[in-house]
Amino acid sequence: MIALLAFILLNDSIPDSTKTERVDTLRQIIVKGETRSPLEKAIEGSLARQIQPSVPSLGDVLEKVSPGINDKMLHPFAIKQRKSERKHKRDKKILDEYDRIITFEDLLREAVAKQQLEDEAEKRRAEEDKEAHKISK
Protein backbone atom coordinates (compact mmCIF):
# COMPACT_ATOMS: atom_id res chain seq x y z
CA MET A 1 0.00 0.00 0.00
CA ILE A 2 2.82 2.40 0.93
CA ALA A 3 4.70 1.46 -2.20
CA LEU A 4 1.63 2.23 -4.31
CA LEU A 5 1.21 5.68 -2.74
CA ALA A 6 4.89 6.46 -3.22
CA PHE A 7 4.67 5.37 -6.84
CA ILE A 8 1.64 7.56 -7.47
CA LEU A 9 3.19 10.62 -5.85
CA LEU A 10 6.50 10.26 -7.65
CA ASN A 11 5.13 9.32 -11.04
CA ASP A 12 4.47 12.21 -13.40
CA SER A 13 2.48 10.09 -15.83
CA ILE A 14 -0.71 10.54 -13.79
CA PRO A 15 -3.31 12.60 -15.68
CA ASP A 16 -3.79 16.22 -14.60
CA SER A 17 -7.36 15.63 -13.52
CA THR A 18 -6.25 13.39 -10.66
CA LYS A 19 -3.38 15.60 -9.52
CA THR A 20 -4.14 18.01 -6.70
CA GLU A 21 -2.26 21.21 -6.06
CA ARG A 22 -0.83 21.75 -2.65
CA VAL A 23 -1.98 24.96 -1.05
CA ASP A 24 -0.65 26.34 2.20
CA THR A 25 -3.69 26.60 4.47
CA LEU A 26 -1.87 27.29 7.75
CA ARG A 27 -2.12 30.70 9.36
CA GLN A 28 1.05 32.65 10.02
CA ILE A 29 1.83 33.11 13.69
CA ILE A 30 4.32 35.63 15.05
CA VAL A 31 6.13 34.32 18.12
CA LYS A 32 7.64 36.85 20.49
CA GLY A 33 10.60 35.58 22.48
CA GLU A 34 10.17 37.52 25.72
CA THR A 35 6.51 36.93 26.43
CA ARG A 36 5.70 35.06 29.58
CA SER A 37 2.44 33.51 30.54
CA PRO A 38 0.38 35.04 33.36
CA LEU A 39 0.92 31.85 35.33
CA GLU A 40 4.70 32.32 35.26
CA LYS A 41 4.33 35.94 36.36
CA ALA A 42 2.03 34.93 39.23
CA ILE A 43 4.48 32.26 40.42
CA GLU A 44 7.42 34.69 40.32
CA GLY A 45 5.42 37.32 42.21
CA SER A 46 4.43 34.80 44.86
CA LEU A 47 8.02 33.66 45.31
CA ALA A 48 9.25 37.25 45.53
CA ARG A 49 6.79 37.99 48.34
CA GLN A 50 7.93 34.92 50.28
CA ILE A 51 11.62 35.88 50.51
CA GLN A 52 12.76 35.60 54.09
CA PRO A 53 15.59 37.65 55.55
CA SER A 54 18.88 35.83 55.88
CA VAL A 55 19.79 34.70 59.37
CA PRO A 56 23.29 35.85 60.38
CA SER A 57 25.74 33.10 61.13
CA LEU A 58 27.73 32.79 64.33
CA GLY A 59 30.82 34.14 62.56
CA ASP A 60 28.92 37.25 61.41
CA VAL A 61 27.69 37.94 64.95
CA LEU A 62 31.18 37.45 66.41
CA GLU A 63 32.73 39.85 63.86
CA LYS A 64 30.17 42.52 64.76
CA VAL A 65 30.67 42.11 68.51
CA SER A 66 34.44 41.79 68.49
CA PRO A 67 36.28 42.17 65.18
CA GLY A 68 39.11 39.68 64.81
CA ILE A 69 37.90 37.25 67.49
CA ASN A 70 36.89 34.67 64.90
CA ASP A 71 40.45 34.66 63.54
CA LYS A 72 41.89 34.31 67.02
CA MET A 73 39.62 31.37 67.80
CA LEU A 74 40.20 29.56 64.53
CA HIS A 75 43.96 30.27 64.30
CA PRO A 76 45.24 30.39 67.90
CA PHE A 77 48.87 29.80 66.87
CA ALA A 78 49.04 32.80 64.52
CA ILE A 79 50.23 35.01 67.39
CA LYS A 80 53.49 35.85 65.62
CA GLN A 81 51.67 37.06 62.51
CA ARG A 82 49.25 39.23 64.49
CA LYS A 83 52.14 40.69 66.49
CA SER A 84 54.02 41.65 63.31
CA GLU A 85 50.82 43.21 61.88
CA ARG A 86 50.46 45.37 65.01
CA LYS A 87 54.12 46.41 64.77
CA HIS A 88 53.76 47.35 61.09
CA LYS A 89 50.64 49.35 61.87
CA ARG A 90 52.41 51.23 64.68
CA ASP A 91 55.48 51.91 62.50
CA LYS A 92 53.30 53.16 59.62
CA LYS A 93 51.53 55.56 61.99
CA ILE A 94 54.86 56.93 63.24
CA LEU A 95 56.17 57.39 59.67
CA ASP A 96 52.97 59.16 58.60
CA GLU A 97 53.28 61.57 61.54
CA TYR A 98 56.95 62.16 60.68
CA ASP A 99 56.07 62.95 57.05
CA ARG A 100 53.52 65.54 58.20
CA ILE A 101 56.06 67.46 60.32
CA ILE A 102 57.32 70.66 58.65
CA THR A 103 61.11 70.82 58.98
CA PHE A 104 63.32 73.87 59.21
CA GLU A 105 64.54 73.32 55.64
CA ASP A 106 60.94 73.34 54.38
CA LEU A 107 60.24 76.60 56.22
CA LEU A 108 63.47 78.13 54.93
CA ARG A 109 62.72 77.10 51.30
CA GLU A 110 59.24 78.59 51.59
CA ALA A 111 60.58 81.86 53.03
CA VAL A 112 63.25 82.17 50.29
CA ALA A 113 60.67 81.57 47.55
CA LYS A 114 58.33 84.17 49.09
CA GLN A 115 61.16 86.70 49.37
CA GLN A 116 62.16 86.12 45.71
CA LEU A 117 58.59 86.78 44.59
CA GLU A 118 58.45 89.98 46.65
CA ASP A 119 61.84 91.15 45.27
CA GLU A 120 60.72 90.53 41.67
CA ALA A 121 57.46 92.40 42.27
CA GLU A 122 59.38 95.35 43.82
CA LYS A 123 61.80 95.36 40.87
CA ARG A 124 58.89 95.46 38.37
CA ARG A 125 57.24 98.31 40.28
CA ALA A 126 60.50 100.28 40.30
CA GLU A 127 60.95 99.80 36.54
CA GLU A 128 57.36 100.84 35.88
CA ASP A 129 57.86 103.96 38.03
CA LYS A 130 61.04 104.83 36.03
CA GLU A 131 59.20 104.44 32.73
CA ALA A 132 56.25 106.47 33.98
CA HIS A 133 58.66 109.20 35.20
CA LYS A 134 60.45 109.28 31.77
CA ILE A 135 57.13 109.56 29.93
CA SER A 136 55.91 112.40 32.14
CA LYS A 137 59.09 114.50 31.47
Side-chain angles (χ1 to χ4, degrees):
M1 178 90 166
I2 296 173
L4 180 62
L5 284 174
F7 176 75
I8 292 172
L9 292 175
L10 295 175
N11 195 353
D12 287 335
S13 63
I14 299 175
D16 288 337
S17 61
T18 59
K19 285 187 177 179
T20 59
E21 290 186 25
R22 290 189 175 183
V23 179
D24 189 11
T25 58
L26 296 176
R27 292 185 303 163
Q28 287 187 349
I29 299 174
I30 298 173
V31 178
K32 296 181 181 176
E34 293 191 20
T35 58
R36 296 186 323 208
S37 70
L39 180 62
E40 289 178 35
K41 292 178 184 177
I43 290 172
E44 286 179 7
S46 175
L47 290 175
R49 286 189 299 273
Q50 293 179 1
I51 293 177
Q52 295 181 2
S54 62
V55 178
S57 66
L58 177 62
D60 296 338
V61 173
L62 285 175
E63 281 299 317
K64 283 185 180 179
V65 172
S66 175
I69 190 121
N70 199 17
D71 179 51
K72 291 172 186 168
M73 287 188 323
L74 294 176
H75 306 289
F77 300 110
I79 295 169
K80 197 182 243 185
Q81 180 185 359
R82 287 191 290 273
K83 185 176 179 181
S84 66
E85 287 172 359
R86 284 192 304 270
K87 184 179 181 304
H88 287 306
K89 185 177 177 183
R90 185 181 66 238
D91 293 345
K92 187 175 183 329
K93 183 180 175 185
I94 291 169
L95 288 173
D96 288 342
E97 288 175 3
Y98 181 76
D99 287 342
R100 279 188 259 130
I101 294 174
I102 298 173
T103 62
F104 177 73
E105 288 84 17
D106 295 336
L107 292 172
L108 185 61
R109 244 184 260 116
E110 185 180 328
V112 168
K114 187 176 179 183
Q115 187 64 42
Q116 284 177 345
L117 288 174
E118 289 175 2
D119 290 346
E120 289 174 5
E122 184 65 35
K123 198 182 227 184
R124 270 191 244 118
R125 269 190 245 118
E127 288 175 3
E128 289 172 0
D129 288 344
K130 273 186 182 180
E131 288 179 20
H133 184 65
K134 283 183 185 179
I135 294 174
S136 65
K137 281 186 178 182

PDB file of all heavy atoms in Angstrom, residues 36-58:
ATOM      1  N   ARG A  36       5.852  36.089  28.553  1.00  0.00           N
ATOM      2  CA  ARG A  36       5.695  35.063  29.580  1.00  0.00           C
ATOM      3  C   ARG A  36       4.210  34.907  29.868  1.00  0.00           C
ATOM      4  O   ARG A  36       3.450  35.869  29.772  1.00  0.00           O
ATOM      5  CB  ARG A  36       6.424  35.467  30.862  1.00  0.00           C
ATOM      6  CG  ARG A  36       7.914  35.559  30.670  1.00  0.00           C
ATOM      7  CD  ARG A  36       8.626  35.811  31.960  1.00  0.00           C
ATOM      8  NE  ARG A  36       7.873  36.708  32.840  1.00  0.00           N
ATOM      9  CZ  ARG A  36       8.409  37.494  33.722  1.00  0.00           C
ATOM     10  NH1 ARG A  36       9.690  37.530  33.864  1.00  0.00           N
ATOM     11  NH2 ARG A  36       7.669  38.261  34.490  1.00  0.00           N
ATOM     12  N   SER A  37       3.849  33.744  30.250  1.00  0.00           N
ATOM     13  CA  SER A  37       2.437  33.506  30.536  1.00  0.00           C
ATOM     14  C   SER A  37       2.084  34.128  31.881  1.00  0.00           C
ATOM     15  O   SER A  37       2.947  34.323  32.745  1.00  0.00           O
ATOM     16  CB  SER A  37       2.161  32.002  30.563  1.00  0.00           C
ATOM     17  OG  SER A  37       2.764  31.424  31.692  1.00  0.00           O
ATOM     18  N   PRO A  38       0.806  34.461  32.076  1.00  0.00           N
ATOM     19  CA  PRO A  38       0.384  35.040  33.356  1.00  0.00           C
ATOM     20  C   PRO A  38       0.659  34.104  34.529  1.00  0.00           C
ATOM     21  O   PRO A  38       0.911  34.549  35.650  1.00  0.00           O
ATOM     22  CB  PRO A  38      -1.111  35.264  33.170  1.00  0.00           C
ATOM     23  CG  PRO A  38      -1.333  35.301  31.707  1.00  0.00           C
ATOM     24  CD  PRO A  38      -0.263  34.453  31.106  1.00  0.00           C
ATOM     25  N   LEU A  39       0.642  32.809  34.261  1.00  0.00           N
ATOM     26  CA  LEU A  39       0.916  31.850  35.327  1.00  0.00           C
ATOM     27  C   LEU A  39       2.360  31.983  35.809  1.00  0.00           C
ATOM     28  O   LEU A  39       2.626  31.985  37.016  1.00  0.00           O
ATOM     29  CB  LEU A  39       0.647  30.425  34.817  1.00  0.00           C
ATOM     30  CG  LEU A  39       0.899  29.292  35.821  1.00  0.00           C
ATOM     31  CD1 LEU A  39      -0.032  29.447  37.008  1.00  0.00           C
ATOM     32  CD2 LEU A  39       0.693  27.949  35.167  1.00  0.00           C
ATOM     33  N   GLU A  40       3.303  32.137  34.879  1.00  0.00           N
ATOM     34  CA  GLU A  40       4.705  32.318  35.260  1.00  0.00           C
ATOM     35  C   GLU A  40       4.887  33.594  36.066  1.00  0.00           C
ATOM     36  O   GLU A  40       5.600  33.615  37.070  1.00  0.00           O
ATOM     37  CB  GLU A  40       5.591  32.370  34.016  1.00  0.00           C
ATOM     38  CG  GLU A  40       5.740  31.058  33.299  1.00  0.00           C
ATOM     39  CD  GLU A  40       6.603  31.202  32.057  1.00  0.00           C
ATOM     40  OE1 GLU A  40       7.548  32.007  32.078  1.00  0.00           O
ATOM     41  OE2 GLU A  40       6.316  30.509  31.073  1.00  0.00           O
ATOM     42  N   LYS A  41       4.236  34.673  35.632  1.00  0.00           N
ATOM     43  CA  LYS A  41       4.334  35.939  36.359  1.00  0.00           C
ATOM     44  C   LYS A  41       3.762  35.814  37.766  1.00  0.00           C
ATOM     45  O   LYS A  41       4.327  36.336  38.729  1.00  0.00           O
ATOM     46  CB  LYS A  41       3.605  37.044  35.596  1.00  0.00           C
ATOM     47  CG  LYS A  41       4.268  37.432  34.304  1.00  0.00           C
ATOM     48  CD  LYS A  41       3.460  38.498  33.599  1.00  0.00           C
ATOM     49  CE  LYS A  41       4.067  38.828  32.244  1.00  0.00           C
ATOM     50  NZ  LYS A  41       3.254  39.804  31.506  1.00  0.00           N
ATOM     51  N   ALA A  42       2.647  35.109  37.912  1.00  0.00           N
ATOM     52  CA  ALA A  42       2.028  34.926  39.227  1.00  0.00           C
ATOM     53  C   ALA A  42       2.934  34.115  40.143  1.00  0.00           C
ATOM     54  O   ALA A  42       3.087  34.434  41.333  1.00  0.00           O
ATOM     55  CB  ALA A  42       0.676  34.243  39.078  1.00  0.00           C
ATOM     56  N   ILE A  43       3.574  33.086  39.599  1.00  0.00           N
ATOM     57  CA  ILE A  43       4.479  32.257  40.419  1.00  0.00           C
ATOM     58  C   ILE A  43       5.684  33.074  40.870  1.00  0.00           C
ATOM     59  O   ILE A  43       6.075  33.022  42.035  1.00  0.00           O
ATOM     60  CB  ILE A  43       4.919  31.004  39.622  1.00  0.00           C
ATOM     61  CG1 ILE A  43       3.736  30.052  39.448  1.00  0.00           C
ATOM     62  CG2 ILE A  43       6.073  30.298  40.323  1.00  0.00           C
ATOM     63  CD1 ILE A  43       4.007  28.885  38.526  1.00  0.00           C
ATOM     64  N   GLU A  44       6.267  33.860  39.955  1.00  0.00           N
ATOM     65  CA  GLU A  44       7.418  34.689  40.325  1.00  0.00           C
ATOM     66  C   GLU A  44       7.045  35.723  41.370  1.00  0.00           C
ATOM     67  O   GLU A  44       7.788  35.984  42.310  1.00  0.00           O
ATOM     68  CB  GLU A  44       7.996  35.371  39.089  1.00  0.00           C
ATOM     69  CG  GLU A  44       8.756  34.435  38.192  1.00  0.00           C
ATOM     70  CD  GLU A  44       9.299  35.140  36.962  1.00  0.00           C
ATOM     71  OE1 GLU A  44       9.194  36.380  36.875  1.00  0.00           O
ATOM     72  OE2 GLU A  44       9.829  34.433  36.084  1.00  0.00           O
ATOM     73  N   GLY A  45       5.876  36.335  41.225  1.00  0.00           N
ATOM     74  CA  GLY A  45       5.424  37.319  42.211  1.00  0.00           C
ATOM     75  C   GLY A  45       5.226  36.691  43.570  1.00  0.00           C
ATOM     76  O   GLY A  45       5.586  37.265  44.609  1.00  0.00           O
ATOM     77  N   SER A  46       4.653  35.506  43.603  1.00  0.00           N
ATOM     78  CA  SER A  46       4.431  34.801  44.863  1.00  0.00           C
ATOM     79  C   SER A  46       5.750  34.457  45.534  1.00  0.00           C
ATOM     80  O   SER A  46       5.915  34.618  46.746  1.00  0.00           O
ATOM     81  CB  SER A  46       3.625  33.526  44.607  1.00  0.00           C
ATOM     82  OG  SER A  46       3.509  32.777  45.790  1.00  0.00           O
ATOM     83  N   LEU A  47       6.716  33.992  44.741  1.00  0.00           N
ATOM     84  CA  LEU A  47       8.025  33.656  45.306  1.00  0.00           C
ATOM     85  C   LEU A  47       8.749  34.898  45.810  1.00  0.00           C
ATOM     86  O   LEU A  47       9.442  34.856  46.828  1.00  0.00           O
ATOM     87  CB  LEU A  47       8.876  32.933  44.263  1.00  0.00           C
ATOM     88  CG  LEU A  47       8.426  31.517  43.895  1.00  0.00           C
ATOM     89  CD1 LEU A  47       9.282  30.971  42.767  1.00  0.00           C
ATOM     90  CD2 LEU A  47       8.477  30.600  45.100  1.00  0.00           C
ATOM     91  N   ALA A  48       8.585  36.019  45.113  1.00  0.00           N
ATOM     92  CA  ALA A  48       9.246  37.249  45.531  1.00  0.00           C
ATOM     93  C   ALA A  48       8.677  37.753  46.852  1.00  0.00           C
ATOM     94  O   ALA A  48       9.399  38.317  47.682  1.00  0.00           O
ATOM     95  CB  ALA A  48       9.086  38.321  44.456  1.00  0.00           C
ATOM     96  N   ARG A  49       7.389  37.547  47.081  1.00  0.00           N
ATOM     97  CA  ARG A  49       6.794  37.988  48.341  1.00  0.00           C
ATOM     98  C   ARG A  49       7.180  37.087  49.503  1.00  0.00           C
ATOM     99  O   ARG A  49       7.082  37.484  50.658  1.00  0.00           O
ATOM    100  CB  ARG A  49       5.272  38.021  48.204  1.00  0.00           C
ATOM    101  CG  ARG A  49       4.777  39.183  47.368  1.00  0.00           C
ATOM    102  CD  ARG A  49       3.269  39.303  47.451  1.00  0.00           C
ATOM    103  NE  ARG A  49       2.557  38.134  46.958  1.00  0.00           N
ATOM    104  CZ  ARG A  49       2.211  37.924  45.689  1.00  0.00           C
ATOM    105  NH1 ARG A  49       2.517  38.822  44.781  1.00  0.00           N
ATOM    106  NH2 ARG A  49       1.570  36.832  45.333  1.00  0.00           N
ATOM    107  N   GLN A  50       7.624  35.867  49.224  1.00  0.00           N
ATOM    108  CA  GLN A  50       7.930  34.922  50.282  1.00  0.00           C
ATOM    109  C   GLN A  50       9.400  34.903  50.679  1.00  0.00           C
ATOM    110  O   GLN A  50       9.819  34.060  51.453  1.00  0.00           O
ATOM    111  CB  GLN A  50       7.514  33.519  49.865  1.00  0.00           C
ATOM    112  CG  GLN A  50       6.023  33.342  49.736  1.00  0.00           C
ATOM    113  CD  GLN A  50       5.658  31.935  49.298  1.00  0.00           C
ATOM    114  OE1 GLN A  50       6.529  31.097  49.121  1.00  0.00           O
ATOM    115  NE2 GLN A  50       4.375  31.686  49.124  1.00  0.00           N
ATOM    116  N   ILE A  51      10.190  35.859  50.173  1.00  0.00           N
ATOM    117  CA  ILE A  51      11.617  35.885  50.509  1.00  0.00           C
ATOM    118  C   ILE A  51      11.777  36.213  51.987  1.00  0.00           C
ATOM    119  O   ILE A  51      11.228  37.187  52.491  1.00  0.00           O
ATOM    120  CB  ILE A  51      12.361  36.918  49.644  1.00  0.00           C
ATOM    121  CG1 ILE A  51      12.359  36.466  48.192  1.00  0.00           C
ATOM    122  CG2 ILE A  51      13.786  37.115  50.143  1.00  0.00           C
ATOM    123  CD1 ILE A  51      13.001  37.466  47.249  1.00  0.00           C
ATOM    124  N   GLN A  52      12.535  35.390  52.667  1.00  0.00           N
ATOM    125  CA  GLN A  52      12.756  35.598  54.092  1.00  0.00           C
ATOM    126  C   GLN A  52      14.136  36.204  54.298  1.00  0.00           C
ATOM    127  O   GLN A  52      15.075  35.902  53.567  1.00  0.00           O
ATOM    128  CB  GLN A  52      12.650  34.270  54.835  1.00  0.00           C
ATOM    129  CG  GLN A  52      11.257  33.680  54.765  1.00  0.00           C
ATOM    130  CD  GLN A  52      11.163  32.366  55.518  1.00  0.00           C
ATOM    131  OE1 GLN A  52      12.129  31.925  56.118  1.00  0.00           O
ATOM    132  NE2 GLN A  52       9.998  31.748  55.502  1.00  0.00           N
ATOM    133  N   PRO A  53      14.278  37.048  55.307  1.00  0.00           N
ATOM    134  CA  PRO A  53      15.593  37.651  55.550  1.00  0.00           C
ATOM    135  C   PRO A  53      16.607  36.582  55.954  1.00  0.00           C
ATOM    136  O   PRO A  53      16.260  35.586  56.592  1.00  0.00           O
ATOM    137  CB  PRO A  53      15.341  38.629  56.696  1.00  0.00           C
ATOM    138  CG  PRO A  53      14.090  38.148  57.350  1.00  0.00           C
ATOM    139  CD  PRO A  53      13.289  37.471  56.287  1.00  0.00           C
ATOM    140  N   SER A  54      17.849  36.816  55.563  1.00  0.00           N
ATOM    141  CA  SER A  54      18.882  35.833  55.880  1.00  0.00           C
ATOM    142  C   SER A  54      19.231  35.911  57.365  1.00  0.00           C
ATOM    143  O   SER A  54      19.296  36.994  57.954  1.00  0.00           O
ATOM    144  CB  SER A  54      20.130  36.089  55.049  1.00  0.00           C
ATOM    145  OG  SER A  54      20.649  37.361  55.362  1.00  0.00           O
ATOM    146  N   VAL A  55      19.441  34.783  57.954  1.00  0.00           N
ATOM    147  CA  VAL A  55      19.786  34.699  59.370  1.00  0.00           C
ATOM    148  C   VAL A  55      21.309  34.781  59.477  1.00  0.00           C
ATOM    149  O   VAL A  55      22.016  34.018  58.828  1.00  0.00           O
ATOM    150  CB  VAL A  55      19.265  33.380  59.977  1.00  0.00           C
ATOM    151  CG1 VAL A  55      19.657  33.265  61.427  1.00  0.00           C
ATOM    152  CG2 VAL A  55      17.762  33.268  59.801  1.00  0.00           C
ATOM    153  N   PRO A  56      21.830  35.728  60.276  1.00  0.00           N
ATOM    154  CA  PRO A  56      23.287  35.850  60.383  1.00  0.00           C
ATOM    155  C   PRO A  56      23.892  34.620  61.049  1.00  0.00           C
ATOM    156  O   PRO A  56      23.319  34.048  61.976  1.00  0.00           O
ATOM    157  CB  PRO A  56      23.483  37.107  61.232  1.00  0.00           C
ATOM    158  CG  PRO A  56      22.203  37.309  61.954  1.00  0.00           C
ATOM    159  CD  PRO A  56      21.130  36.719  61.103  1.00  0.00           C
ATOM    160  N   SER A  57      25.058  34.252  60.560  1.00  0.00           N
ATOM    161  CA  SER A  57      25.744  33.095  61.128  1.00  0.00           C
ATOM    162  C   SER A  57      26.482  33.506  62.401  1.00  0.00           C
ATOM    163  O   SER A  57      26.594  34.688  62.734  1.00  0.00           O
ATOM    164  CB  SER A  57      26.737  32.533  60.111  1.00  0.00           C
ATOM    165  OG  SER A  57      27.772  33.469  59.889  1.00  0.00           O
ATOM    166  N   LEU A  58      26.993  32.525  63.093  1.00  0.00           N
ATOM    167  CA  LEU A  58      27.731  32.791  64.326  1.00  0.00           C
ATOM    168  C   LEU A  58      28.971  33.635  64.046  1.00  0.00           C
ATOM    169  O   LEU A  58      29.309  34.557  64.796  1.00  0.00           O
ATOM    170  CB  LEU A  58      28.137  31.464  64.989  1.00  0.00           C
ATOM    171  CG  LEU A  58      28.969  31.570  66.259  1.00  0.00           C
ATOM    172  CD1 LEU A  58      28.184  32.310  67.339  1.00  0.00           C
ATOM    173  CD2 LEU A  58      29.398  30.207  66.744  1.00  0.00           C
TER     174      LEU A  58
END
